[in-house]
Amino acid sequence: MGSEEYGGGQQEHSDVLVVTTNDVPGYDVQRVIGEVFGLTVRSRHLGSQIGAGLKSMVGGELKGLTKTLVETRNEAMERLVEQARARGANAVLMMRFDVASGSDAGTEVCAYGTAVVLAPRA
């Protein structure tokens, strides 16, 4: 599995900027829209769970689970951007991920942040 499969984050030319910071250098917040989030829950199929169980006995990275988590985070991020766009934002500040694991339900990933309208500083 190449390093590109472990990546994530935003598409290069997105119309909604997503950052983990409180502000964006060179821009002012014109309007705060409020909290937005993107949520997804995923489970692994039985075969991969068995494989992960065997791998955990000998140690090492569980690459299949890592890949699934990356895909899940990316899906949560896409949903966050969709919600921000739908509410009229052009940026999301203070983006974070929250991850919870349930034994039966799978892994829940929530991307959340504050939707805002940014404008270049004059």
Side-chain angles (χ1 to χ4, degrees):
M1 193 166 15
S3 62
E4 67 280 352
E5 293 183 87
Y6 294 109
Q10 187 167 23
Q11 299 297 324
E12 247 181 81
H13 302 291
S14 179
D15 59 332
V16 177
L17 177 67
V18 179
V19 297
T20 59
T21 56
N22 292 332
D23 53 20
V24 177
Y27 289 82
D28 291 320
V29 173
Q30 298 295 306
R31 183 168 55 106
V32 174
I33 295 171
E35 182 183 19
V36 289
F37 64 91
L39 179 66
T40 186
V41 179
R42 292 242 182 130
S43 65
R44 298 275 296 170
H45 59 79
L46 182 59
S48 64
Q49 292 291 19
I50 292 170
L54 293 173
K55 178 71 174 181
S56 67
M57 292 168 54
V58 297
E61 181 180 10
L62 305 175
K63 291 184 180 183
L65 293 176
T66 300
K67 186 175 178 183
T68 297
L69 184 56
V70 168
E71 291 168 354
T72 304
R73 287 172 60 125
N74 288 344
E75 183 173 51
M77 177 84 105
E78 288 170 14
R79 291 178 179 177
L80 168 86
V81 168
E82 287 172 14
Q83 188 181 68
R85 184 182 297 117
R87 294 183 60 192
N90 66 358
V92 177
L93 304 179
M94 295 291 297
M95 193 285 293
R96 300 287 187 262
F97 286 107
D98 184 48
V99 179
S101 225
S103 58
D104 295 334
T107 301
E108 171 191 310
V109 175
C110 182
Y112 63 95
T114 303
V116 300
V117 174
L118 292 180
R121 191 167 292 136

